[in-house]
Amino acid sequence: STMVALALGIVGLTVQLELRHREQSIDRTLDEANLYARTFEDQLTQSFSVIDLTLISAAEIDAGPLKTAGSPNRFATALHQAPYLRSLALLDVHDNIVNSSNPRSVGRHVQLDGFLPPLHDSAPVLRIGLPWTGRDFDDGHPGSAENPPAAQDLAFLPVARNIGLTDGRRA
């Protein structure tokens, strides 16, 4: 009976130690996940802030008259200074591309209705759309919640900022 009590004591102690170890392991994992989430949130916030500033700067670069054929594309130049962006486009008030780092995108219509947050009173806020399949507006098409781009597809996340320019265009 002493041996049974000793064995039960050892089993009980082992179970208690295992439960404590499991609880500590879960706590450490939750702390680590929280750290990763905060780090990702900080990186995402910083990236969108840099994108926002880049869009403002690119619109100012392009604030001159509309480009004519053969003129240098200053958006393409701005893109070299922002390697985290795939392309830049300037839209008119009807959401048609009037200048772009990809000249083939000029003239295309970009549907901004699904961008969030919703646009109110032409507020100058960064807005984010659903992912597009393709490399640019020229060869891409918008995704949807029901039909998102596949993991192997080229895709991009469009962002827009309403920047009123004196001639009625916006970026």
Side-chain angles (χ1 to χ4, degrees), residues 148-162:
Q152 69 275 10
D153 291 343
L154 282 176
F156 65 96
L157 184 67
V159 294
R161 187 176 207 292
N162 205 26

Side-chain angles (χ1 to χ4, degrees), residues 44-54 126:
L44 197 57
T45 300
Q46 290 173 8
S47 295
F48 281 128
S49 293
V50 170
I51 290 169
D52 197 22
L53 292 172
T54 302
L126 192 68

Side-chain angles (χ1 to χ4, degrees), residues 62 65-77 98-100 103:
D62 198 68
L66 289 173
K67 302 296 170 278
T68 58
S71 67
N73 190 337
R74 292 182 280 182
F75 265 22
T77 303
V98 294
N99 195 9
S100 174

Side-chain angles (χ1 to χ4, degrees), residues 87-89 96-110 136-139:
S87 67
L88 289 173
N96 296 312
I97 299 174
V98 294
N99 195 9
S100 174
S101 56
N102 177 357
R104 293 186 311 265
S105 292
V106 173
R108 297 199 182 266
H109 180 76
V110 179
D136 197 342
F137 290 116
D138 170 52
D139 69 356

Side-chain angles (χ1 to χ4, degrees), residues 85-151:
L85 295 178
R86 184 167 292 162
S87 67
L88 289 173
L90 182 68
L91 284 63
D92 64 13
V93 294
H94 304 291
D95 300 333
N96 296 312
I97 299 174
V98 294
N99 195 9
S100 174
S101 56
N102 177 357
R104 293 186 311 265
S105 292
V106 173
R108 297 199 182 266
H109 180 76
V110 179
Q111 188 65 267
L112 298 179
D113 293 343
F115 281 51
L116 294 174
L119 186 60
H120 296 292
D121 302 324
S122 301
V125 296
L126 192 68
R127 300 172 59 223
I128 302 166
L130 289 172
W132 278 52
T133 300
R135 179 136 182 89
D136 197 342
F137 290 116
D138 170 52
D139 69 356
H141 60 278
S144 66
E146 299 80 30
N147 188 22

Side-chain angles (χ1 to χ4, degrees), residues 11 18 42 50 59 61 68 81 83 85 107 115 123 133 143 147 166 170:
V11 169
E18 283 298 317
D42 287 346
V50 170
I61 286 171
T68 58
Q81 298 168 3
L85 295 178
F115 281 51
T133 300
N147 188 22
T166 56
R170 62 183 181 164

